[in-house]
Amino acid sequence: MADSNFIDYVKILCRSGKGGAGSRHFHRAKYVPKGGPDGGDGGRGGHIILKGNRHMWTLLPLRYKRHIFATNGQSGGENRSSGKDGEDQIIEVPVGTAVFDAESGEFLCEVTRDEEEIKLLRGGKGGLGNWHFATSTNRAPRYAQPGQPALEKAVVLELKLLGDVGLVGFPNAGKSTLLSAISAAKPKIADYPFTTMEPSLGIVDYRGDRSFVMADIPGIIEGASEGKGLGLRFLRHIERNAVLLFMVPADSDDIKHDYEVLLKELKEFNPELADKSRVLAISKSDMLDDELRAEIAMDLPDDVPAVFISAVTGQGITELKDLLWREINSEDNKNNFSITHRPLDRRHRVEEEDEFIFDQPEIDEDDTENWDDEDWNDEFWDEESSVNPD
């Protein structure tokens, strides 16, 4: 995966801007003695903003830009002049990007729509100038508010493909062959395991100019949820699919057992995946006669609809499309479908993406202003959350 342009996992360090300090300036002009306080307010620090971009399909640009810092707000000036706001840093990401706290693994937010903006880290508010604190009994306040400090957080961005149907199966189960047969996608197809090295999407045409999106991921092997094989890297993508299409080849020794192993791996990766709608497709069925097909059908699982297909001859493809369309648009699926995000787990981390050194200057505290804790305006610090979708 080191040479691939498809990057679906990246860890970055973000820091919002510090708010500018309020000014303690007093008005000075000829023939105006005791002009009074006129210190302006400090500018707001820059925000860190995530923005969805439907034209992006990878997190590759962020792989080479790991430190994203917004600028600080400027201090206030004389004549009640406010300082300039810090410049926001907008991070464009593909639609379907989920954000996790790199330290705790907690899910923070996700970008699901084009042009959607989410404030990942809010810039510090600027401090109030001394003219705000002038009263009838204190006409010359010699203090002002410092700016609110910046926020800093290391986050992990995970791209999860947006597809209606997710293909799940062992290596060489015929997933890529099926995707190439019913869509315009051209995944790599060969007769050796793990031919598919990165996920791919295909748009499947249906009756009446309708369509749905199918996602193919690398093959899963037993123990994938514990870090074996390549499927572990990409199991996250099926968390965004409405229907899971399990594919088991007809020449399998025990189709029911293979299906149960696949389902077990999904449950161990994320237990909520078991609640998604499921369909079982018996691939490579062109090698079966009617008698053998009937014998196999008797031993199939009872809790999932099944269909025999062959991507080469086209057998059962129309029936499979009808079944998938019904599952995608069923009332139960619409009512129960939810986008599930399991917290980050050390077994599910990509170590080579995590191992880089944060080398940034320390955040200097504003030591130019004197302000006691008891004098702070409570409303100035009332917004503690760093992630704000507004």
Side-chain angles (χ1 to χ4, degrees):
M1 290 300 295
D3 297 330
S4 173
N5 287 332
F6 181 79
I7 303 298
D8 60 352
Y9 178 108
V10 69
K11 179 180 177 182
I12 61 176
L13 178 68
C14 301
R15 188 170 73 203
S16 62
K18 181 171 57 176
S23 173
R24 296 177 294 180
H25 189 269
F26 287 86
H27 181 70
R28 294 179 178 87
K30 194 174 183 180
Y31 307 119
V32 185
K34 300 180 181 179
D38 69 346
D41 302 339
R44 168 186 63 80
H47 301 313
I48 301 294
I49 299 174
L50 293 177
K51 184 177 182 180
N53 185 343
R54 63 186 178 88
H55 300 292
M56 293 181 64
W57 60 277
T58 176
L59 295 172
L60 180 64
L62 293 176
R63 188 173 190 178
Y64 305 103
K65 188 179 180 181
R66 298 296 188 86
H67 298 163
I68 300 178
F69 301 151
T71 59
N72 298 330
Q74 294 182 357
S75 300
E78 59 187 42
N79 296 324
R80 300 188 183 182
S81 299
S82 298
K84 182 180 179 181
D85 290 343
E87 183 179 353
D88 297 337
Q89 285 289 336
I90 299 179
I91 308 172
E92 291 195 346
V93 295
V95 176
T97 300
V99 184
F100 299 85
D101 187 303
E103 301 301 327
S104 65
E106 177 188 4
F107 169 73
L108 299 178
C109 62
E110 63 176 332
V111 180
T112 58
R113 302 188 307 275
D114 185 39
E115 300 293 328
E116 178 184 8
E117 293 188 357
I118 297 178
K119 289 180 184 174
L120 182 62
L121 295 179
R122 181 182 292 275
K125 289 184 177 179
L128 300 178
N130 61 348
W131 73 272
H132 287 279
F133 307 104
T135 65
S136 59
T137 58
N138 184 16
R139 298 184 179 183
R142 299 183 179 276
Y143 50 81
Q145 281 185 333
Q148 192 175 14
L151 298 176
E152 183 176 284
K153 185 183 292 291
V155 297
V156 169
L157 304 182
E158 283 191 349
L159 173 60
K160 303 183 181 184
L161 296 182
L162 299 174
D164 299 305
V165 179
L167 293 174
V168 182
F170 291 111
N172 289 100
K175 303 186 299 300
S176 298
T177 304
L178 174 64
L179 185 65
S180 64
I182 63 178
S183 74
K186 301 299 180 183
K188 183 178 180 180
I189 301 173
D191 58 355
Y192 56 85
F194 295 115
T195 308
T196 302
M197 296 292 291
E198 59 187 46
S200 57
L201 291 176
I203 299 178
V204 180
D205 292 329
Y206 190 62
R207 297 188 177 98
D209 294 328
R210 293 172 293 183
S211 63
F212 57 89
V213 179
M214 181 175 289
D216 179 24
I217 67 171
I220 299 172
I221 63 174
E222 188 170 5
S225 61
E226 299 176 356
K228 298 180 181 179
L230 294 177
L232 175 63
R233 284 281 301 270
F234 307 105
L235 279 171
R236 69 176 76 101
H237 292 287
I238 61 177
E239 292 179 315
R240 300 298 304 266
N241 303 145
V243 178
L244 301 181
L245 175 58
F246 290 77
M247 292 190 63
V248 180
D251 56 358
S252 170
D253 295 334
D254 190 335
I255 294 178
K256 184 176 181 180
H257 174 265
D258 288 350
Y259 165 75
E260 292 175 347
V261 170
L262 292 170
L263 184 59
K264 175 176 176 291
E265 294 301 323
L266 298 189
K267 289 180 178 179
E268 292 183 354
F269 178 79
N270 186 343
E272 296 185 28
L273 289 177
D275 298 330
K276 292 183 179 291
S277 298
R278 303 190 296 272
V279 174
L280 175 61
I282 314 303
S283 61
K284 306 178 183 179
S285 296
D286 53 308
M287 64 179 66
L288 303 176
D289 56 25
D290 293 339
E291 181 179 353
L292 188 55
R293 186 180 296 108
E295 181 180 346
I296 293 176
M298 296 178 59
D299 296 329
L300 294 179
D302 299 328
D303 60 341
V304 58
V307 58
F308 290 86
I309 66 169
S310 172
V312 176
T313 64
Q315 171 191 339
I317 297 300
T318 301
E319 182 183 354
L320 176 63
K321 288 184 179 181
D322 292 337
L323 182 57
L324 291 174
W325 185 261
R326 287 198 301 269
E327 290 294 330
I328 293 172
N329 295 278
S330 66
E331 290 299 325
D332 290 341
N333 189 46
K334 290 181 178 180
N335 295 333
N336 298 328
F337 173 68
S338 61
I339 300 174
T340 57
H341 301 282
R342 51 99 185 99
L344 287 180
D345 188 295
R346 293 303 303 179
R347 296 176 303 171
H348 305 149
R349 301 291 286 271
V350 184
E351 297 298 335
E352 63 269 23
E353 295 291 343
D354 278 350
E355 294 175 355
F356 68 96
I357 299 175
F358 290 140
D359 185 12
Q360 78 284 347
E362 297 291 336
I363 302 176
D364 295 330
E365 296 296 334
D366 193 334
D367 57 1
T368 62
E369 309 292 342
N370 295 320
W371 185 256
D372 296 331
D373 292 341
E374 61 189 15
D375 293 326
W376 285 102
N377 184 344
D378 291 339
E379 295 181 357
F380 186 76
W381 294 96
D382 61 352
E383 296 180 6
E384 295 293 339
S385 176
S386 61
V387 177
N388 190 338
D390 297 332

